[in-house]
Amino acid sequence: MRTGHRAGRWVPVALVAALALAGCSSTVDGEAFYAGLEVAKPTVPPAEGTLDPAEAPVVGTCSTIAEGQQSAPLDPPPPVECSGDHNAETAVVGDSGLADDAPHPAQADLDDPDSRISAALADLCDLDVVREYLGGDSLDDPYAWYAAYLPTAEQWAAGARWIRCDVFYGYLVPEPAPGILAGALAGSDPARHRTCFVGSPADYGVAPCSEPHEAEPVGTEVAALPEGAPYPDEPTRRSVVGSCTNVAQDYGGGEVPNGYVVDVWVDTAEEWPDYSYGRCVLVPAGGGRTTTTVRG
């Protein structure tokens, strides 16, 4: 069982405006190219020294991101064979918008949310990129996340001004991918790539839906609890379940899936001040655990 806490990534998602993906979009003074399922996957990474170091990455290129490296835009992982072990794939390649004579960005530039490079990276990567790359939709909460990268100092010196957004397998930190990530939510085993909840309505962690779990979140939808409300007692928690019914029906393809009921899961009382949301979920009507997803 994996117990990484969903609040670690979910709260920022709720606060950041999502990009509308329509095949391609734009970053600062540049274009961003989004992956489609028809994009061929590189089977072997280019041999060292055979490519122009300024060459932009290929969408679909695989890599292995080390723990912590997902938060290090100045430390891009090199390509690896997609047929072998990997945990990430390049989903979008964009333009940094920085001039040819601009110096290689430093950590101080990345730490400044108002800097040009911070804005470009924020525009390039978000939850919608992950959903689209995996073949999901706006109601999905993928068991995957994203990491943005710049060229290395050597590539920058050679003229590279691209930026890239990699999608990695794992909720908060990279984990070995079970296979190719592109289109995985529309493939034969979506449960491995969708997030589910493990635990109880007031104390839970996350795991892929292919592992035993008690609840499946309805995407990132939240129940209608008043903003700033105190920690909900059981009657209060139950009273807002109805606010999740319509979106649960949408999630289930038009109706609440057979054998499931709608519920609302919250955090522990200790966590509530930092994460005061109730998540709309579907749980087996008879209780217990499952290793499937209602959407696959």
Side-chain angles (χ1 to χ4, degrees):
M1 182 182 79
R2 299 181 176 92
T3 57
H5 200 278
R6 65 266 159 227
R9 77 171 194 178
W10 190 84
V11 171
V13 171
L15 298 177
V16 176
L19 289 174
L21 303 184
C24 70
S25 183
S26 63
T27 61
V28 180
D29 295 339
E31 292 182 305
F33 301 96
Y34 292 91
L37 299 188
E38 74 282 356
V39 176
K41 312 295 291 184
T43 56
V44 179
E48 187 173 351
T50 62
L51 287 181
D52 179 352
E55 189 77 20
V58 176
V59 167
T61 298
C62 297
S63 61
T64 298
I65 300 175
E67 184 170 349
Q69 196 175 16
Q70 75 272 17
S71 303
L74 296 175
D75 184 22
V80 300
E81 293 185 19
C82 289
S83 58
D85 294 339
H86 70 284
N87 59 22
E89 298 170 21
T90 297
V92 187
V93 179
D95 189 324
S96 68
L98 297 180
D100 291 344
D101 60 353
H104 189 236
Q107 188 60 48
D109 300 307
L110 298 174
D111 292 340
D112 178 3
D114 296 322
S115 71
R116 193 175 183 85
I117 192 61
S118 289
L121 294 176
D123 283 349
L124 190 73
C125 270
D126 65 9
L127 176 58
D128 279 344
V129 168
V130 181
R131 288 167 167 156
E132 177 154 310
Y133 188 74
L134 267 65
D137 60 31
S138 62
L139 288 177
D140 278 313
D141 190 3
Y143 196 75
W145 201 232
Y146 60 79
Y149 293 107
L150 285 79
T152 64
E154 177 186 8
Q155 292 168 327
W156 192 271
R161 294 296 181 269
W162 51 261
I163 51 178
R164 83 187 205 218
C165 182
D166 289 1
V167 170
F168 66 81
Y169 186 74
Y171 197 78
L172 290 173
V173 298
E175 303 172 19
I180 294 299
L181 297 176
L185 281 173
S188 60
D189 194 9
R192 286 192 176 192
H193 301 85
R194 187 168 285 126
T195 295
C196 281
F197 292 163
V198 180
S200 64
D203 188 7
Y204 63 98
V206 297
C209 293
S210 55
E211 295 189 5
H213 60 272
E214 285 82 4
E216 181 169 341
V218 180
T220 56
E221 296 296 322
V222 298
L225 285 165
E227 184 176 354
Y231 185 71
D233 57 18
E234 184 63 10
T236 300
R237 186 182 71 82
R238 297 299 306 165
S239 72
V240 295
V241 169
S243 68
C244 294
T245 299
N246 287 343
V247 71
Q249 290 172 337
D250 292 341
Y251 187 80
E255 60 184 7
V256 174
N258 186 40
Y260 285 82
V261 296
V262 182
D263 202 356
V264 171
W265 282 31
V266 296
D267 274 294
T268 64
E270 293 75 20
E271 295 168 315
W272 186 255
D274 298 321
Y275 185 74
S276 53
Y277 302 94
R279 294 289 296 272
C280 299
V281 302
L282 290 164
V283 298
R289 295 177 135 194
T290 182
T291 55
T292 62
T293 169
V294 303
R295 305 195 88 193

